[in-house]
Amino acid sequence: MIHSLFLINSSGDIFLEKHWKSVVSRSVCDYFFEAQERATEAENVPPVIPTPHHYLLSVYRHKIFFVAVIQTEVPPLFVIEFLHRVVDTFQDYFGVCSEPVIKDNVVVVYEVLEEMLDNGFPLATESNILKELIKPPTILRTVVNTITGSTNVGDQLPTGQLSVVPWRRTGVKYTNNEAYFDVIEEIDAIIDKSGSTITAEIQGVIDACVKLTGMPDLTLSFMNPRLLDDVSFHPCVRFKRWESERILSFIPPDGNFRLLSYHMLSWDVGKINPQKLPSLKGTMSLQAGASKPDENPTINLQFKIQQLAISGLKVNRLDMYGEKYKPFKGIKYMTKAGKFQVRT
Amino acid sequence: MSSNSFPYNEQSGGGEATELGQEATSTISPSGAFGLFSSDLKKNEDLKQMLESNKDSAKLDAMKRIVGMIAKGKNASELFPAVVKNVASKNIEIKKLVYVYLVRYAEEQQDLALLSISTFQRALKDPNQLIRASALRVLSSIRVPIIVPIMMLAIKEASADLSPYVRKNAAHAIQKLYSLDPEQKEMLIEVIEKLLKDKSTLVAGSVVMAFEEVCPDRIDLIHKNYRKLCNLLVDVEEWGQVVIIHMLTRYARTQFVSPWKEGDELEDNGKNFYESDDDQKEKTDKKKKPYTMDPDHRLLIRNTKPLLQSRNAAVVMAVAQLYWHISPKSEAGIISKSLVRLLRSNREVQYIVLQNIATMSIQRKGMFEPYLKSFYVRSTDPTMIKTLKLEILTNLANEANISTLLREFQTYVKSQDKQFAAATIQTIGRCATNILEVTDTCLNGLVCLLSNRDVVAESVVVIKKLLQMQPAQHGEIIKHMAKLLDSITVPVARASILWLIGENCERVPKIAPDVLRKMAKSFTSEDDLVKLQILNLGAKLYLTNSKQTKLLTQYILNLGKYDQNYDIRDRTRFIRQLIVPNVKSGALSKYAKKIFLAQKPAPLLESPFKDRDHFQLGTLSHTLNIKATGYLELSNWPEVAPDPSVRNVEVIELAKEWTPAGKAKQENSAKKFYSESEEEEDSSDSSSDSESESGSESGEQGESGEEGDSNEDSSEDSSSEQDSESGRESGLENKRTAKRNSKAKGKSDSEDGEKENEKSKTSDSSNDESSSIEDSSSDSESESEPESESESRRVTKEKEKKTKQDRTPLTKDVSLLDLDDFNPVSTPVALPTPALSPSLMADLEGLHLSTSSSVISVSTPAFVPTKTHVLLHRMSGKGLAAHYFFPRQPCIFGDKMVSIQITLNNTTDRKIENIHIGEKKLPIGMKMHVFNPIDSLEPEGSITVSMGIDFCDSTQTASFQLCTKDDCFNVNIQPPVGELLLPVAMSEKDFKKEQGVLTGMNETSAVIIAAPQNFTPSVIFQKVVNVANVGAVPSGQDNIHRFAAKTVHSGSLMLVTVELKEGSTAQLIINTEKTVIGSVLLRELKPVLSQG
């Protein structure tokens, strides 16, 4: 599958390479550079570039191109999704994913990449498992390691890898047990010149930060689960239970994770008085000296509404089974502008 | 800090130094980006010293720096001898880094690499599975041909390892060895075959990957594992899911017949390994029969559906392509929503998904039409996304939405992104040609755009194409365009206009010569492209209207003769020879007019995604529209399905029950009926014989499930078998027994094709003769309960164990992940240990559901609002309130129990402690599984617990005491009759068959009268499922609605039919042998269906 990976910065330097099979010369990236030149903008570089002997599949994030080299037929999304997972993992490990950070942590990066793929096929991509194998660097640990000569590499088999709940590590302990859920909804909309809505939809996610001791089994129910019609789940969610009872039942991963994302094309806004239609007005001022905008600029709006999920989605309750203690539970709602565009 | 011979350190600042450079090598100064050779040498000396030191910290530091070098693509190969010595280091991080190094350089330093081999060989025997696995991983990654035999041996051993994690690594190693030495193929296939049988979800994805790489054509290896893979799928890790789904898509296309109605693309196939020519002929004769889907085909489609909800875009796409390629066209619609959801994802994901949608939307517009607006372009989209969206919008355009779309396009035309604006105009052109109703509107719209200076050129080009298709009526537009020549400067556009005028010069006889006059004036300053068209125009006019234009043309030809561009000089000479008659002009000039003014075919404006679907969707080849290396062709559907019984592993019942006409089987029986085993026929004919049969059980281990069924039952409870009444078939009970049974008969793994034939024959004959063995066995089962039930279970378990040992002695110690629960033949019976934690139970519940839905065919209950009943009012419960409801799930505490969830609320202001169930007063036969005592319930607290009650298929009340530390309250649960059921999925045909059996006393019916609006399918469905936990049965007739369920305790079928009659009446019929429940259900359904 994935033969090699090259990390390329925006000025066209290859600053990291990793090979999972025999070595592919970095000159293969020349094809990539050609495509990059043609594309003028980074985001227009085609994600799939054929070369005489290889195929280059790339993602562009944090101003870095992650270029995977493959040799034979493979579902392109497989590689692309994996590369994004690599970026997410780096972000999770180092807080940010940037060229200097990757260079600073090149050994950890290499160890992580080594565990993520075997012979080009994904081996461990769950961040909970990876962190058991290779501990993320912290300042404290770096200091301790320097003094004691101990290592970042775990010597335990990642237990999660073998359990029915591969996303959760075992032996989790917290003094404060807490579970927070953020319901975040983004409105994607296009508003035309006259102010009427051309398209509007909600993209919602429930992000969780769960720090609970042991093996808690959670159920999360909604006041109005019928709103959720088009959803995708973290693998921990028991699909059957959702299908039959519309209850989210799951053993959570440890730490931060995205429990659920959903998509809504229409929703209920409640009552609006037709006499007094709500309206928003704003003015746009150009910075002094800035050149006049093009004829019909599209305006991208940003806004945030705290403590409200615009779709009306409400969490009913969160129950925990399997552990005796009483966790602290919290839920937060937020509505944001997603890709909210006003055409002029 | 500069230990820098690494050129990148200089850029990255000193950060890296803390990590890499601590050991003070900074004496060496950097000497520029290149020419570091000398310092490299010195530096490496230094590293060597560190590696040789006896301090781990120094070694580790050295290794870290070396890995840093590798990461930057610098050559560190000369350190090989020094590094390889540390392969046996005790320090795990050093060891790991050495592995990284080894894998990178072993290929270049083969001899030295051999030094490390013995270390790995030792580690392969380590008691720790992690060490075994990683040793195998590294050993197999060292690409040194000389160790091939060692690798082969290691793989073979690891494939039988107890740890599924090691076996997973073995599967990966197969591919590595194969790429190193393809000669090993045959041996490796043996290992693959073995690992394919593995039941661990951990191994499944990896071994299928190996299969795809090493022997994708050995589809025969999949047969026996097909159902297992389908059932495991949901629980495999996401990457494995993608690989398995792609493989199963290919498999399905070779093994099942097309579910598509217009199946004209069938090809004659040579894929029927198992059938003779005669069989084929026979099958072709039968082909006229209406299509019924193979249950295995259905199994795959059904089991992949939940994965559309995966968070992994690759999984969603894989399921989408599976539906596209193998599901009935009417069912593929469900993928649209999930694909549209992916559009919110990253740019790269969008790009691939949009490409696939583009291909799909050409063929089946309807699928994505409801999501039209999701493809509207945002100004922030990258250009490549914009153009793909445009493509899709064009494909989706139809008479109904074109006006909306054109309005949307107008916005795009004004986009600042010129490339995109131009693409939009092309799009409008395509819409105009595709939808005749709007051709004129589009044309007018495009003409309006001619005043827009940014896009005028593109518009002209598109208008030219459009007019070429229907030139007759558009004289006006041509005139308009002629005027534009004064203002338009873009050469392509000018050339297009000139060409257009030339082509239509007879329609605009007055304008054309004038245009030529103007052009003659500006000829010298025009672009080459325009000059060529001026020459063309001149020639055409010369031929049609020489009187007015002769001189002009000659003038232009003269100009062209001396042009700087040789193309133009060439063209001039050519035209002059052709049109100006002179002595030398040959025969051609006679045909000049025909040559210049020939009817030219209109250009085809079609999608670049047309015909792209001959590549499997979701593949690299599809994205590139070129066959990529290693692309595996998706075969056409076979005209006749290859023998479906090859997939039978243990559960033969399944195939028998479901394959409607038993196509292949009948043929088999026809062929072999007389040649073999008369005694089997006997056994299936007369149930009393089966007792004697049981003696020979050991000899017949591999035989059919029914056979085993009778054996087992007769040996356990032969007396009850005697009073079995024939003619009635309780299919579900049957299946359950068969399953339990077939688990015991796990041996059938090893059975060969011949035995299968026998098997199918047996099942067949039992089909024909209505007194069949499974009838009797199921009867005996239901009558001898509950004692024989538990008995048989125990026996089965023992057998199961034994069989396992027999089959794979190596796995007799059940390893961690040997999830037998996933086995498609597992029994969904009670888990005997109620001490399980609720979490685990819930997990198991999930597992069981996935199994049972496929085999026992208990389907998912329809979603209805939960009706809560009061168990204990807070007033009478001294503040403790209890409610219960029926979650309509198979009960995890026992398969004869109805699951009940009780929610306890503490409405007092103090803790309620020790809530538990006290004394039970249950009618005879009734059983109850209580919830674990609750230590304490906080004030305002609430907790939900589950319990199970076996109501023995009656509506009798279960009375028991709900106790706290201080009090006991008498409470009752009386189940509504509808909750004593579990929904069942069955085909219409099976339904009718079962209904035909359950007549007479077993049928109750009533007439209902209600307003017609209450008789819409959805209303009826909702009303029925609200009352009773039944499953809908697909119905071919609009006026008949069918529902099926089985009773929880005995598994008797409960068939509900609502048949709409003339006027506002309907007939409600219930068929079941449980007549009491049947009539109660009828009584409950009747008022619900008749009320408004």
Side-chain angles (χ1 to χ4, degrees):
Chain A
M1 285 223 155
I2 299 172
H3 223 99
S4 306
L5 174 70
F6 293 99
L7 268 53
I8 299 174
N9 64 17
S10 42
S11 49
D13 300 320
I14 303 169
F15 65 94
L16 187 121
E17 65 179 67
K18 169 95 183 99
H19 308 273
W20 284 275
K21 304 186 181 186
S22 41
V23 179
V24 177
S25 158
R26 55 164 68 190
S27 63
V28 75
C29 293
D30 292 348
Y31 294 98
F32 179 82
F33 296 135
E34 270 174 38
Q36 196 180 7
E37 241 167 71
R38 269 198 304 275
T40 61
E41 270 174 73
E43 59 172 17
N44 274 326
V45 178
V48 182
I49 301 167
T51 80
H53 300 290
H54 300 90
Y55 305 95
L56 305 177
L57 275 67
S58 63
V59 306
Y60 179 65
R61 275 176 73 182
H62 307 291
K63 304 220 164 92
I64 301 171
F65 284 103
F66 294 77
V67 184
V69 183
I70 59 166
Q71 235 170 359
T72 52
E73 171 64 54
V74 58
L77 273 185
F78 185 102
V79 180
I80 285 168
E81 181 81 25
F82 175 80
L83 291 176
H84 281 298
R85 213 58 80 77
V86 168
V87 183
D88 294 341
T89 307
F90 288 171
Q91 232 171 340
D92 199 32
Y93 260 77
F94 312 122
V96 281
C97 176
S98 67
E99 188 186 346
V101 167
I102 289 175
K103 281 182 180 166
D104 285 353
N105 295 289
V106 71
V107 175
V108 177
V109 164
Y110 231 66
E111 284 168 342
V112 169
L113 287 176
E114 183 77 20
E115 293 299 336
M116 287 185 86
L117 285 178
D118 180 19
N119 196 39
F121 190 77
L123 191 62
T125 49
E126 284 296 337
S127 131
N128 263 280
I129 291 178
L130 284 169
K131 283 184 175 168
E132 256 185 289
L133 286 165
I134 298 137
K135 300 199 175 67
T138 59
I139 294 170
L140 181 69
R141 191 169 301 126
T142 314
V143 173
V144 170
N145 287 352
T146 321
I147 298 165
T148 62
S150 59
T151 73
N152 278 331
V153 179
D155 53 359
Q156 296 291 311
L157 178 69
T159 43
Q161 191 92 299
L162 291 178
S163 79
V164 227
V165 278
W167 52 86
R168 186 174 179 89
R169 57 196 183 96
T170 47
V172 183
K173 274 211 177 84
Y174 289 101
T175 41
N176 295 320
N177 289 293
E178 40 193 26
Y180 297 106
F181 294 86
D182 291 354
V183 180
I184 302 167
E185 295 192 340
E186 293 191 0
I187 305 176
D188 287 359
I190 302 177
I191 312 286
D192 76 1
K193 231 188 252 191
S194 60
S196 54
T197 311
I198 291 180
T199 133
E201 54 192 46
I202 293 177
Q203 309 284 347
V205 294
I206 300 184
D207 282 340
C209 174
V210 177
K211 295 181 173 172
L212 297 174
T213 306
M215 269 289 164
D217 195 338
L218 305 178
T219 58
L220 185 82
S221 62
F222 298 96
M223 308 276 256
N224 37 13
R226 273 159 192 276
L227 288 177
L228 298 174
D229 148 59
D230 182 18
V231 279
S232 71
F233 300 113
H234 189 276
C236 69
V237 175
R238 295 180 183 104
F239 181 72
K240 294 274 174 184
R241 187 92 190 265
W242 171 258
E243 280 285 273
S244 56
E245 294 170 57
R246 300 277 140 172
I247 284 176
L248 289 177
S249 157
F250 56 98
I251 296 174
D254 183 41
N256 296 312
F257 65 101
R258 175 153 296 171
L259 179 64
L260 170 97
S261 18
Y262 55 93
H263 180 211
M264 258 179 247
L265 286 168
S266 60
W267 62 94
D268 197 1
V269 288
K271 266 193 189 149
I272 289 179
N273 182 358
Q275 266 79 54
K276 267 204 242 161
L277 282 173
S279 72
L280 270 180
K281 273 186 193 152
T283 49
M284 212 174 55
S285 46
L286 291 176
Q287 268 182 333
S291 60
K292 208 174 154 259
D294 298 310
E295 237 176 301
N296 305 96
T298 308
I299 296 164
N300 290 307
L301 284 190
Q302 289 301 330
F303 56 80
K304 252 185 206 177
I305 311 166
Q306 301 282 4
Q307 291 312 321
L308 170 82
I310 193 80
S311 68
L313 186 74
K314 271 229 154 61
V315 171
N316 183 22
R317 53 184 297 131
L318 175 74
D319 294 304
M320 186 181 76
Y321 304 94
E323 295 290 337
K324 296 275 180 212
Y325 55 85
K326 234 182 141 71
F328 187 82
K329 302 177 265 192
I331 179 109
K332 219 166 69 184
Y333 298 90
M334 201 204 310
T335 299
K336 290 198 279 194
K339 296 174 183 164
F340 201 108
Q341 305 201 329
V342 181
R343 291 176 179 166
T344 55
Chain B
M1 187 82 179
S2 39
S3 47
N4 294 328
S5 47
F6 316 161
Y8 292 104
N9 255 1
E10 284 146 12
Q11 296 168 11
S12 70
E16 190 174 40
T18 47
E19 181 89 35
L20 299 180
Q22 285 153 352
E23 208 63 20
T25 44
S26 37
T27 45
I28 300 142
S29 60
S31 42
F34 301 100
L36 290 169
F37 192 64
S38 56
S39 66
D40 250 354
L41 265 186
K42 263 189 243 161
K43 182 179 178 55
N44 291 348
E45 275 313 310
D46 184 65
L47 285 169
K48 276 180 198 160
Q49 271 170 24
M50 287 163 71
L51 286 169
E52 255 141 61
S53 89
N54 41 19
K55 267 170 51 194
D56 270 0
S57 59
K59 285 183 180 174
L60 185 59
D61 242 16
M63 280 318 297
K64 282 185 173 174
R65 278 171 46 194
I66 293 167
V67 167
M69 286 166 74
I70 296 175
K72 277 155 203 144
K74 290 175 62 73
N75 188 2
S77 61
E78 63 145 16
L79 290 161
F80 203 97
V83 173
V84 80
K85 278 179 207 155
N86 291 300
V87 73
S89 170
K90 289 274 175 292
N91 180 310
I92 195 146
E93 189 166 17
I94 295 182
K95 195 148 74 175
K96 277 206 171 179
L97 295 177
V98 172
Y99 287 177
V100 169
Y101 183 91
L102 252 182
V103 172
R104 170 68 181 77
Y105 286 113
E107 213 170 0
E108 298 171 24
Q109 307 259 354
Q110 308 215 347
D111 292 343
L112 286 168
L114 294 178
L115 295 175
S116 64
I117 303 298
S118 62
T119 318
F120 297 124
Q121 280 178 303
R122 256 199 314 281
L124 283 170
K125 308 264 183 249
D126 198 281
N128 183 334
Q129 47 180 342
L130 169 66
I131 295 178
R132 288 202 302 281
S134 89
L136 178 64
R137 227 180 116 184
V138 183
L139 179 69
S140 55
S141 301
I142 296 176
R143 287 168 293 273
V144 178
I146 209 167
I147 64 162
V148 164
I150 298 176
M151 275 164 76
M152 193 66 226
L153 199 69
I155 291 173
K156 276 190 173 164
E157 275 178 19
S159 68
D161 199 287
L162 288 181
S163 153
Y165 186 67
V166 176
R167 298 202 298 277
K168 182 189 181 73
N169 278 281
H172 288 191
I174 291 172
Q175 304 163 56
K176 300 183 210 168
L177 180 52
Y178 180 64
S179 66
L180 185 63
D181 181 8
E183 302 255 296
Q184 303 294 317
K185 186 169 175 179
E186 288 312 312
M187 292 236 270
L188 289 172
I189 291 177
E190 277 171 36
V191 183
I192 290 175
E193 192 171 2
K194 183 162 139 201
L195 284 174
L196 276 171
K197 292 188 184 133
D198 206 303
K199 292 195 188 80
S200 163
T201 49
L202 209 53
V203 183
S206 303
V207 67
V208 171
M209 188 65 226
F211 170 84
E212 291 280 82
E213 205 129 304
V214 179
C215 52
D217 47 337
R218 288 291 304 275
I219 218 94
D220 56 301
L221 298 181
I222 303 300
H223 292 323
K224 290 261 176 276
N225 301 297
Y226 173 84
R227 289 176 196 158
K228 182 195 69 191
L229 285 172
C230 288
N231 287 315
L232 282 180
L233 197 55
V234 197
D235 299 291
V236 173
E237 37 79 42
E238 36 194 358
W239 311 107
Q241 284 173 347
V242 178
V243 177
I244 295 175
I245 293 172
H246 273 268
M247 187 277 286
L248 289 178
T249 310
R250 272 193 314 119
Y251 179 88
R253 285 286 284 256
T254 63
Q255 299 299 316
F256 306 127
V257 287
S258 168
W260 303 333
K261 295 218 173 68
E262 57 280 65
D264 47 0
E265 64 217 303
L266 301 169
E267 56 161 18
D268 197 31
N269 59 71
K271 285 179 187 86
N272 300 336
F273 303 110
Y274 302 102
E275 283 158 19
S276 68
D277 289 351
D278 288 358
D279 288 345
Q280 287 229 14
K281 234 183 261 163
E282 234 177 296
K283 281 190 175 177
T284 338
D285 292 342
K286 286 187 180 171
K287 218 197 95 204
K288 303 273 152 35
K289 277 192 190 166
Y291 169 77
T292 1
M293 188 181 274
D294 187 307
D296 286 328
H297 190 172
R298 171 56 63 200
L299 176 72
L300 176 59
I301 292 174
R302 188 175 53 217
N303 283 13
T304 45
K305 190 179 164 197
L307 298 179
L308 281 174
Q309 244 107 6
S310 171
R311 64 167 171 174
N312 187 318
V315 176
V316 177
M317 189 66 232
V319 179
Q321 67 83 27
L322 179 132
Y323 266 77
W324 177 262
H325 289 295
I326 75 160
S327 86
K329 294 197 168 161
S330 58
E331 288 171 43
I334 60 161
I335 62 176
S336 331
K337 199 197 282 176
S338 307
L339 288 178
V340 169
R341 189 182 61 234
L342 294 185
L343 297 182
R344 252 301 274 218
S345 202
N346 297 292
R347 165 190 84 104
E348 298 85 4
V349 174
Q350 278 186 52
Y351 175 74
I352 305 287
V353 172
L354 285 171
Q355 278 191 326
N356 283 287
I357 293 180
T359 303
M360 293 189 208
S361 58
I362 290 179
Q363 283 194 20
R364 304 187 206 163
K365 278 187 188 194
M367 268 175 75
F368 292 96
E369 241 177 61
Y371 304 98
L372 186 74
K373 289 187 172 178
S374 303
F375 303 107
Y376 279 8
V377 174
R378 291 163 191 284
S379 57
T380 42
D381 288 333
T383 309
M384 62 178 179
I385 301 292
K386 284 182 186 162
T387 34
L388 277 171
K389 282 186 172 175
L390 262 186
E391 182 62 45
I392 294 167
L393 289 175
T394 320
N395 293 340
L396 293 180
N398 58 23
E399 290 84 355
N401 59 26
I402 185 69
S403 54
T404 329
L405 275 180
L406 284 178
R407 216 172 309 135
E408 182 69 13
F409 289 158
Q410 273 172 19
T411 328
Y412 302 165
V413 168
K414 291 178 206 145
S415 164
Q416 297 310 310
D417 184 340
K418 294 292 167 272
Q419 200 190 333
F420 170 56
T424 307
I425 289 168
Q426 295 278 3
T427 301
I428 296 175
R430 264 176 60 200
C431 288
T433 52
N434 293 343
I435 304 164
L436 295 176
E437 282 86 339
V438 293
T439 311
D440 289 335
T441 325
C442 290
L443 207 48
N444 289 337
L446 288 170
V447 172
C448 293
L449 287 175
L450 292 177
S451 57
N452 181 328
R453 127 188 84 81
D454 290 323
V455 290
V456 62
E458 199 70 32
S459 308
V460 168
V461 176
V462 174
I463 290 174
K464 187 204 95 180
K465 287 184 185 165
L466 281 181
L467 290 186
Q468 203 179 339
M469 279 177 247
Q470 34 175 211
Q473 327 90 328
H474 297 297
E476 278 310 307
I477 295 178
I478 297 171
K479 278 180 207 159
H480 181 94
M481 290 175 76
K483 281 183 206 145
L484 281 173
L485 270 180
D486 298 336
S487 50
I488 291 186
T489 52
V490 183
V492 196
R494 290 177 74 84
S496 289
I497 296 174
L498 289 173
W499 183 88
L500 205 57
I501 293 170
E503 276 301 290
N504 298 292
C505 55
E506 283 166 305
R507 281 193 200 88
V508 283
K510 290 193 182 139
I511 294 178
D514 196 47
V515 169
L516 187 66
R517 179 185 62 79
K518 283 188 189 162
M519 287 300 116
K521 243 159 89 181
S522 60
F523 185 88
T524 45
S525 56
E526 294 287 355
D527 186 274
D528 291 345
L529 198 61
V530 183
K531 282 180 184 169
L532 288 175
Q533 287 309 327
I534 297 174
L535 287 168
N536 258 343
L537 175 65
K540 285 171 187 167
L541 284 174
Y542 187 95
L543 290 169
T544 54
N545 184 4
S546 62
K547 208 173 101 194
Q548 276 187 298
T549 57
K550 192 175 174 185
L551 288 173
L552 263 176
T553 308
Q554 270 172 354
Y555 171 70
I556 291 167
L557 288 175
N558 280 335
L559 287 176
K561 193 175 172 186
Y562 299 106
D563 199 270
Q564 290 190 322
N565 185 304
Y566 51 77
D567 273 343
I568 291 167
R569 293 199 301 272
D570 265 5
R571 178 72 61 89
T572 312
R573 220 169 293 137
F574 165 73
I575 288 177
R576 190 191 290 277
Q577 287 300 318
L578 212 52
I579 60 170
V580 185
N582 60 21
V583 207
K584 279 186 282 174
S585 67
L588 268 182
S589 58
K590 269 186 272 175
Y591 302 104
K593 193 165 179 181
K594 275 192 180 154
I595 292 170
F596 277 101
L597 291 165
Q599 195 73 46
K600 295 167 186 71
L604 262 179
L605 301 177
E606 64 182 17
S607 166
F609 286 87
K610 195 169 174 280
D611 292 335
R612 219 183 247 205
D613 78 322
H614 62 266
F615 290 115
Q616 187 174 359
L617 290 186
T619 58
L620 185 62
S621 304
H622 174 267
T623 290
L624 296 170
N625 203 15
I626 307 167
K627 194 168 164 177
T629 329
Y631 172 74
L632 298 166
E633 222 45 83
L634 202 59
S635 82
N636 282 327
W637 296 103
E639 194 165 350
V640 176
D643 183 4
S645 66
V646 292
R647 282 181 294 277
N648 292 354
V649 188
E650 289 110 325
V651 196
I652 332 85
E653 283 286 49
L654 190 76
K656 196 226 101 198
E657 273 278 326
W658 287 82
T659 312
K663 274 192 217 159
K665 289 174 189 161
Q666 257 161 23
E667 281 129 29
N668 276 333
S669 68
K671 196 174 141 207
K672 291 196 177 172
F673 197 75
Y674 302 106
S675 58
E676 282 168 67
S677 57
E678 215 100 59
E679 80 276 9
E680 273 176 34
E681 207 195 332
D682 284 346
S683 78
S684 54
D685 273 340
S686 62
S687 44
S688 54
D689 267 1
S690 57
E691 194 170 348
S692 61
E693 201 72 23
S694 64
S696 62
E697 187 172 336
S698 60
E700 304 218 358
Q701 282 278 353
E703 295 301 351
S704 68
E706 301 95 289
E707 188 87 42
D709 229 342
S710 69
N711 289 341
E712 194 173 288
D713 280 344
S714 59
S715 56
E716 276 157 25
D717 200 351
S718 56
S719 65
S720 73
E721 202 163 283
Q722 305 302 336
D723 36 40
S724 64
E725 14 164 325
S726 61
R728 183 183 60 75
E729 190 172 334
S730 156
L732 289 157
E733 189 59 42
N734 234 330
K735 256 181 254 163
R736 232 176 32 196
T737 20
K739 270 200 321 182
R740 210 176 297 135
N741 224 319
S742 45
K743 197 160 188 178
K745 304 287 184 263
K747 259 211 167 159
S748 52
D749 259 355
S750 60
E751 78 208 345
D752 54 25
E754 195 172 38
K755 278 194 176 157
E756 272 154 44
N757 284 332
E758 287 170 30
K759 226 193 291 170
S760 43
K761 199 202 79 187
T762 327
S763 61
D764 203 45
S765 55
S766 57
N767 244 351
D768 296 344
E769 281 95 355
S770 58
S771 90
S772 67
I773 223 164
E774 64 260 40
D775 290 350
S776 59
S777 67
S778 60
D779 283 353
S780 68
E781 169 94 20
S782 52
E783 273 154 35
S784 61
E785 255 143 15
E787 305 87 320
S788 77
E789 172 74 18
S790 55
E791 173 77 6
S792 69
R793 199 176 300 147
R794 192 177 50 76
V795 173
T796 322
K797 284 249 160 80
E798 273 167 25
K799 273 189 200 155
E800 176 196 338
K801 241 184 244 163
K802 200 180 79 198
T803 336
K804 242 195 192 162
Q805 282 170 4
D806 289 348
R807 187 177 48 207
T808 43
L810 287 158
T811 49
K812 61 180 173 254
D813 298 342
V814 178
S815 52
L816 274 165
L817 247 204
D818 235 350
L819 292 173
D820 279 294
D821 297 309
F822 291 120
N823 188 325
V825 299
S826 71
T827 0
V829 293
L831 292 150
T833 45
L836 291 170
S837 78
S839 68
L840 187 51
M841 282 204 228
D843 260 341
L844 291 168
E845 187 180 342
L847 301 184
H848 274 294
L849 280 175
S850 60
T851 344
S852 56
S853 64
S854 58
V855 179
I856 218 185
S857 80
V858 168
S859 58
T860 333
F863 179 69
V864 290
T866 43
K867 250 178 272 170
T868 321
H869 312 267
V870 177
L871 184 64
L872 179 63
H873 193 266
R874 66 184 164 88
M875 300 308 284
S876 43
K878 298 188 181 169
L880 175 69
H883 302 266
Y884 67 95
F885 72 95
F886 298 91
R888 295 194 166 183
Q889 292 296 309
C891 183
I892 53 172
F893 304 109
D895 62 344
K896 291 178 188 301
M897 291 187 173
V898 176
S899 59
I900 296 168
Q901 300 232 335
I902 299 181
T903 309
L904 299 158
N905 287 298
N906 181 356
T907 60
T908 64
D909 50 7
R910 61 192 162 76
K911 264 190 199 171
I912 298 179
E913 290 183 316
N914 190 22
I915 306 174
H916 63 279
I917 288 185
E919 203 187 327
K920 292 175 268 186
K921 279 168 271 176
L922 302 175
I924 297 161
M926 216 184 255
K927 288 198 204 77
M928 183 165 164
H929 186 281
V930 303
F931 56 87
N932 291 341
I934 298 157
D935 288 350
S936 74
L937 190 59
E938 297 293 322
E940 303 302 328
S942 150
I943 188 165
T944 302
V945 291
S946 25
M947 54 187 282
I949 300 181
D950 181 358
F951 287 106
C952 295
D953 288 352
S954 74
T955 50
Q956 295 180 80
T957 308
S959 309
F960 54 93
Q961 288 187 321
L962 188 62
C963 302
T964 63
K965 201 174 96 187
D966 311 308
D967 297 288
C968 279
F969 311 103
N970 288 321
V971 293
N972 301 313
I973 295 182
Q974 185 181 22
V977 64
E979 304 298 343
L980 297 172
L981 304 173
L982 281 175
V984 163
M986 56 165 51
S987 68
E988 188 176 2
K989 191 164 177 197
D990 288 348
F991 186 96
K992 285 182 181 159
K993 197 174 108 202
E994 299 290 356
Q995 197 179 24
V997 176
L998 295 166
T999 51
M1001 265 181 62
N1002 293 330
E1003 182 172 298
T1004 50
S1005 66
V1007 174
I1008 15 180
I1009 299 166
Q1013 67 265 26
N1014 292 324
F1015 283 149
T1016 64
S1018 62
V1019 171
I1020 291 176
F1021 173 77
Q1022 211 47 52
K1023 284 182 168 173
V1024 173
V1025 297
N1026 271 339
V1027 171
N1029 190 13
V1030 293
V1033 173
S1035 172
Q1037 296 131 290
D1038 286 340
N1039 61 332
I1040 302 185
H1041 305 277
R1042 299 188 174 89
F1043 304 87
K1046 60 160 194 164
T1047 61
V1048 174
H1049 178 88
S1050 66
S1052 311
L1053 277 183
M1054 178 74 66
L1055 307 174
V1056 180
T1057 316
V1058 181
E1059 189 174 351
L1060 306 183
K1061 303 273 189 199
E1062 295 287 312
S1064 50
T1065 60
Q1067 176 102 14
L1068 172 66
I1069 309 164
I1070 293 181
N1071 300 78
T1072 178
E1073 55 167 330
K1074 294 277 171 189
T1075 45
V1076 181
I1077 307 195
S1079 51
V1080 177
L1081 185 61
L1082 187 81
R1083 226 167 40 223
E1084 291 206 20
L1085 274 174
K1086 199 180 155 185
V1088 175
L1089 284 170
S1090 27
Q1091 76 195 203

